[in-house]
Amino acid sequence: MGSINIPPQLNSAKEWVLSKRESLRPWQEFGNYNRASKPANIGVISGRVTHNVTYYYTNYAFISTLLVIYCIISSPLLLLAIVVSGTACYLISTQKEGKTLKIGGHTFSPKDQAMICACISLPLLFFASAGTVIFWVIGLTCSVVGVHASMMQLPNEDGTEFEMNESV
């Protein structure tokens, strides 16, 4: 049996995922609604959002990734469009330098092939509602992150109002 060669881009992506995995907060801590409370004012919201977005960044990214996967799987046409476009781009990128494609007497360079792939992929993704999916995921992610980050108390908050230190 032959071994599978992993492209260097996937190795760097794997390393990035492993580094982010280390910063993933425990889900019990993330979903601990005993720490949730209504913020008293806009200063409390600002402090909570600033702290919680940086603290739970990887958890929020994971939720966003799950939403993207859900959207792709729940739309067969979008899944087909991504697979076709991705496969065509991959096949073009793995060709040897300078290799051309001849179809019906016309010669296409790799640059021409990439342009044709883009011209076919963009309308295909448009008709598969990729734009709608992107904005739906962005909107839902912002809503989930905003509500969670503003409701979860800071570690030093003990139920008292958040105090702003003002320098005079």
Side-chain angles (χ1 to χ4, degrees):
M1 276 192 131
S3 63
I4 298 174
N5 294 331
I6 298 175
Q9 297 87 353
L10 291 182
N11 282 334
S12 62
K14 182 180 177 182
E15 291 170 9
W16 181 81
V17 167
L18 291 176
S19 71
K20 291 300 176 188
R21 187 176 175 200
E22 293 171 1
S23 65
L24 186 69
R25 304 294 176 193
W27 291 104
Q28 294 84 4
E29 177 185 340
F30 181 80
N32 183 3
Y33 289 104
N34 294 329
R35 287 187 39 227
S37 68
K38 179 182 172 188
N41 57 38
I42 196 74
V44 174
I45 293 173
S46 176
R48 286 181 179 182
V49 168
T50 302
H51 174 269
N52 288 333
V53 165
T54 56
Y55 188 73
Y56 292 117
Y57 171 78
T58 308
N59 295 70
Y60 295 141
F62 184 78
I63 289 171
S64 299
T65 304
L66 288 179
L67 288 172
V68 169
I69 291 169
Y70 168 75
C71 287
I72 292 171
I73 290 174
S74 65
S75 174
L77 186 58
L78 181 59
L79 181 60
L80 178 68
I82 290 172
V83 167
V84 168
S85 299
T87 303
C89 290
Y90 175 75
L91 291 174
I92 292 168
S93 70
T94 57
Q95 287 182 351
K96 293 180 181 175
E97 187 66 32
K99 185 175 179 183
T100 60
L101 180 67
K102 291 186 179 184
I103 298 177
H106 296 284
T107 304
F108 298 101
S109 69
K111 196 179 242 184
D112 295 333
Q113 294 172 36
M115 184 62 73
I116 292 169
C117 180
C119 289
I120 292 172
S121 296
L122 289 176
L124 188 61
L125 290 170
F126 175 77
F127 289 120
S129 299
T132 304
V133 168
I134 290 169
F135 286 110
W136 185 84
V137 169
I138 289 171
L140 189 58
T141 299
C142 289
S143 299
V144 168
V145 169
V147 169
H148 183 271
S150 64
M151 298 297 286
M152 295 302 282
Q153 292 179 354
L154 297 174
N156 59 357
E157 250 182 284
D158 56 355
T160 61
E161 187 174 318
F162 183 78
E163 296 180 23
M164 300 285 289
N165 293 333
E166 296 180 14
S167 56
V168 179

